[in-house]
Amino acid sequence: MNQTKIVLSYLALSVVGAALLVVFVSITPAPTSSMVLPEKIFVAGIFIIICVFGVSFSLRPNWVRPFISKKDNIVKNHTNALKRSFRGHHPDCKTFENHRMMYQNKTWCAGCLGLLIGCLLSIILVILYVVVPFQQPPTISRLLLFLGLLVIALVYLEIILGSRHSIIHILSNAMLVLSFFLITTSIVELSGKVVYGFFTILLCILWLDTRIQLSRWHHRRLCSSCPELCKIYEATIIFGR
């Protein structure tokens, strides 16, 4: 299956997942009681674990590849053969200049930096959500849920259109993870049940993976139109950021 079909499949699944949440909110009556503290801690713990993995992938995207596949070695060999170095998780060429930024004499991948910021902020917010006694009105929960879904759609659009500034890319990726926090806590408040919170976290993983697939597709599109001869993203599949 080519990259375009993969992206379309992921987008379709993401839309179905979002639609299921909207239907759930529309037909589910308000819970008779709030989720008890141990249940909140359980959902928050899973969310934090996912965010910790997000932090690790932001700092080192391919760290898990040697454990599950030999493709990483193929990528490295191919890269060495082409004499194309990488900076900020992207080929060191003008085509990908807007996908990285310099900070304190270090080159950062704009997408990964945004995900890193979003994960760290979300960890802080979900801890506050658990420890601070707070009863969120259902109307506010619904508004935050739809706001979170809107942010996800805008992030996907930003990737498809291709941001011309690294700062915009950083902000959009940070907001993506924050939208996961908004959606998860809203569903928890609206349902009062652990199972719905867990299901929402699974959907957040799907939405994040869709963002990664979109990024890969966009990178390959940029690579194909680039005048350079290396064509790294056309010849190999690399964790896109």
Side-chain angles (χ1 to χ4, degrees), residues 15-238:
V15 171
V16 170
L20 286 175
L21 285 185
V22 172
V23 171
F24 162 76
V25 170
S26 301
I27 65 175
T28 302
T32 55
S33 61
S34 299
M35 186 180 290
V36 296
L37 184 59
E39 292 176 330
K40 274 191 175 182
I41 292 175
F42 178 76
V43 175
I46 295 175
F47 189 88
I48 289 172
I49 290 172
I50 298 301
C51 285
V52 169
F53 271 99
V55 169
S56 70
F57 284 120
S58 298
L59 296 174
R60 192 179 176 189
N62 292 321
W63 70 264
V64 75
R65 182 65 67 84
F67 299 102
I68 60 176
S69 173
K70 295 181 179 180
K71 287 182 179 179
D72 193 49
N73 294 327
I74 296 173
V75 170
K76 288 180 180 178
N77 293 336
H78 184 76
T79 303
N80 290 334
L82 293 170
K83 306 299 182 184
R84 170 64 70 188
S85 61
F86 274 64
R87 292 175 57 228
H89 305 161
H90 291 87
D92 186 11
C93 66
K94 271 196 165 185
T95 302
F96 292 96
E97 267 185 349
N98 296 327
H99 291 249
R100 52 179 173 258
M101 68 172 295
M102 289 290 297
Y103 179 70
Q104 294 185 344
N105 297 321
K106 183 177 179 179
T107 303
W108 289 83
C109 167
C112 287
L113 182 58
L115 291 174
L116 174 63
I117 293 170
C119 285
L120 294 176
L121 289 176
S122 294
I123 290 173
I124 295 171
L125 289 173
V126 79
I127 291 173
L128 290 175
Y129 171 72
V130 171
V131 301
V132 177
F134 177 70
Q135 186 67 41
Q136 187 167 280
T139 302
I140 299 298
S141 294
R142 288 187 176 89
L143 287 175
L144 292 178
L145 170 61
F146 287 111
L147 176 62
L149 294 175
L150 176 61
V151 169
I152 292 173
L154 291 176
V155 170
Y156 289 174
L157 186 62
E158 185 266 336
I159 296 173
I160 292 171
L161 296 179
S163 172
R164 296 184 180 274
H165 203 292
S166 59
I167 297 297
I168 295 176
H169 203 45
I170 292 171
L171 290 175
S172 74
N173 282 277
M175 290 302 300
L176 177 66
V177 187
L178 290 173
S179 73
F180 296 161
F181 165 76
L182 294 178
I183 293 170
T184 302
T185 54
S186 295
I187 290 297
V188 166
E189 289 295 317
L190 289 168
S191 68
K193 295 181 180 179
V194 170
V195 64
Y196 290 117
F198 181 72
F199 174 71
T200 304
I201 291 174
L202 292 180
L203 283 179
C204 290
I205 296 173
L206 169 64
W207 292 326
L208 178 60
D209 203 12
T210 300
R211 174 247 176 255
I212 293 172
Q213 296 299 329
L214 273 171
S215 186
R216 288 179 180 176
W217 170 79
H218 181 60
H219 287 172
R220 298 186 81 160
R221 189 175 63 170
L222 288 176
C223 200
S224 64
S225 62
C226 175
E228 298 282 350
L229 298 177
C230 58
K231 304 301 180 190
I232 288 180
Y233 286 107
E234 285 192 335
T236 60
I237 298 177
I238 301 175

